[in-house]
Amino acid sequence: MTITVKITISLKDGMLDPEARAIQHALSNLGYTTASLSTARVFNVGIDTDSPEEAKIMAAEMCDRLLANPVIHSYEIEAKK
Amino acid sequence: MTITVKITISLKDGMLDPEARAIQHALSNLGYTTASLSTARVFNVGIDTDSPEEAKIMAAEMCDRLLANPVIHSYEIEAKK
C-alpha cells in the first residue's frame, strides 16, 4: 500500500523571510494590503508501506537529512491514507 | 479583524516537476525509495476584513494577478479564523 505523507516546511518564528516581504510589496503595488504574509513549502511524498506511523518516521528522517535545514526550518508531517 | 487565508499553489496534473524529480533522486541516494513526490508552495496571508468570503475572493484575485501562473498552476484557498 502507498501512504502519502504531506510534509510542510516553514521558516522558524523570527527568521527573516525576504521572499514574503517582496511578495507583500508587490501585492501592495497592485492595491492589496496584507496584514501579514508567510511562505512554506509542501512535499507530498508517496511511501510504500502499510503503516502510517512508519511513513511518518521515514518522512521525519527525510526532513532531518535532506529537506529541512534544522537551524532555520521547522516541519510538520501529516499522513494521508 | 484579521483573517488568515492559506493559499496552496501546485503544478497542474501532467506538468513536469524537475525539482521533485531531483529531490526524489537525492532521497533515493540516501536510501529512501519513494513511490511519488510532488511539491507545492503555501502562502499564509493575513487580510484585514470581517468576512471570510471577502478574504477568499481577495486571495483568488492575488493568485490570478500575481502568485500563480494560470497556464501551469492550480491553487486552493482555505480561510482560517
Side-chain angles (χ1 to χ4, degrees), chain B:
Chain B
M1 199 175 82
T2 300
I3 290 175
T4 302
V5 175
K6 182 180 175 181
I7 302 172
T8 305
I9 298 181
S10 47
L11 285 167
K12 283 182 177 164
D13 280 350
M15 297 301 304
L16 290 180
D17 188 346
E19 188 192 5
R21 293 297 77 71
I23 293 168
Q24 227 175 348
H25 188 73
L27 285 172
S28 153
N29 287 343
L30 290 172
Y32 301 106
T33 310
T34 51
S36 63
L37 199 152
S38 66
T39 63
R41 303 245 28 188
V42 171
F43 301 98
N44 295 299
V45 185
I47 298 174
D48 281 328
T49 172
D50 288 328
S51 150
E53 287 316 307
E54 195 185 309
K56 283 167 89 166
I57 290 167
M58 210 168 134
E61 280 182 34
M62 291 176 188
C63 287
D64 292 333
R65 295 187 61 189
L66 183 77
L67 300 174
N69 175 348
V71 179
I72 58 168
H73 292 136
S74 60
Y75 58 80
E76 272 174 43
I77 293 167
E78 194 185 319
K80 302 186 273 186
K81 61 121 208 328

Side-chain angles (χ1 to χ4, degrees), chain A residues 3-7 43-47 62, chain B residues 27 34 36-38:
Chain A
I3 290 175
T4 302
V5 175
K6 181 179 176 184
I7 302 172
F43 301 98
N44 294 301
V45 184
I47 298 174
M62 291 176 188
Chain B
L27 285 172
T34 51
S36 63
L37 199 152
S38 66

Side-chain angles (χ1 to χ4, degrees), chain A residues 52-73:
Chain A
E53 288 314 308
E54 195 186 309
K56 284 166 89 167
I57 289 168
M58 210 168 132
E61 280 182 32
M62 291 176 188
C63 287
D64 292 335
R65 294 187 61 188
L66 183 78
L67 301 174
N69 175 348
V71 178
I72 59 168
H73 292 137

Side-chain angles (χ1 to χ4, degrees), chain A residues 28-61:
Chain A
S28 152
N29 287 344
L30 290 172
Y32 302 106
T33 309
T34 50
S36 62
L37 198 152
S38 66
T39 64
R41 303 245 27 189
V42 171
F43 301 98
N44 294 301
V45 184
I47 298 174
D48 282 327
T49 170
D50 288 327
S51 150
E53 288 314 308
E54 195 186 309
K56 284 166 89 167
I57 289 168
M58 210 168 132
E61 280 182 32

